[in-house]
Amino acid sequence: MLFNLPILYAYSIFTNMNTHQTIICLLLVQYYSGSSEPEMTTIDVRKANDLLRNGDYRYLDVRTWEEFMKGHVDFDDALNIPYMFDTNQGRVKNGNFLEQVLSLCNKEDHLVVGCQSGVRSVYASNALLEAGFKHIYNMGGGYLAWVENNLPVAVLTSKVEL
């Protein structure tokens, strides 16, 4: 939102606007500020754990496959769709990210999005919201905060045949 509504309300009192004028002003500000687009919500790892364990939420890990294999949030239906890939030139955005998410989720699904430290998940969450997803929650602090809070983790191991 472009304007801070409490400050605008205080301004309306200071300038002696009547209640009707104040309401119209607030509605106009809200209308013209583009408030119809969903805003990203960041939740802490404890809240994420509660939602994932007790609600209709699914975990989307946007780290690389290698990071995911080393350890991830412990949920049976956790998804791993990297938002970025590690290359010789550094990290590169996954050009198929939205397409890959849409192949496994619909825009009405409730998703908790996480990464290693909470940075990539912000970008991924915003991309999902811009694509029309309605219920996206960014997990602040990422997997590192999850581990620091002693929440359950899973590690995938490759089977080696002898």
Side-chain angles (χ1 to χ4, degrees), residues 9-29:
Y9 179 72
Y11 175 78
S12 71
I13 293 171
F14 178 74
T15 60
N16 296 321
M17 293 172 82
N18 66 36
T19 304
H20 182 70
Q21 290 170 324
T22 302
I23 291 171
I24 289 172
C25 186
L26 292 173
L27 290 173
L28 286 172
V29 166

Side-chain angles (χ1 to χ4, degrees), residues 129-149:
L129 288 167
E130 289 172 8
F133 281 79
K134 306 269 189 281
H135 310 285
I136 301 297
Y137 301 92
N138 175 56
M139 187 174 80
Y143 180 70
L144 293 176
W146 186 272
V147 171
E148 285 176 8
N149 281 270

Side-chain angles (χ1 to χ4, degrees), residues 40-43 45 59-64 67 81-84 91 97 111-129 136-144:
M40 185 186 57
T41 302
T42 297
I43 57 176
V45 294
Y59 186 71
L60 172 59
D61 192 318
V62 297
R63 297 177 301 156
T64 64
E67 290 172 300
I81 303 173
Y83 183 72
M84 302 185 98
R91 285 205 169 143
F97 175 73
L111 299 174
V112 174
V113 182
C115 63
Q116 187 71 7
S117 64
V119 176
R120 281 175 282 175
S121 60
V122 168
Y123 291 109
S125 294
N126 280 326
L128 293 167
L129 288 167
I136 301 297
Y137 301 92
N138 175 56
M139 187 174 80
Y143 180 70
L144 293 176

Side-chain angles (χ1 to χ4, degrees), residues 79-96:
L79 300 171
N80 176 227
I81 303 173
Y83 183 72
M84 302 185 98
F85 295 113
D86 290 328
T87 69
N88 293 336
Q89 293 78 31
R91 285 205 169 143
V92 177
K93 184 179 173 185
N94 175 359
N96 297 319

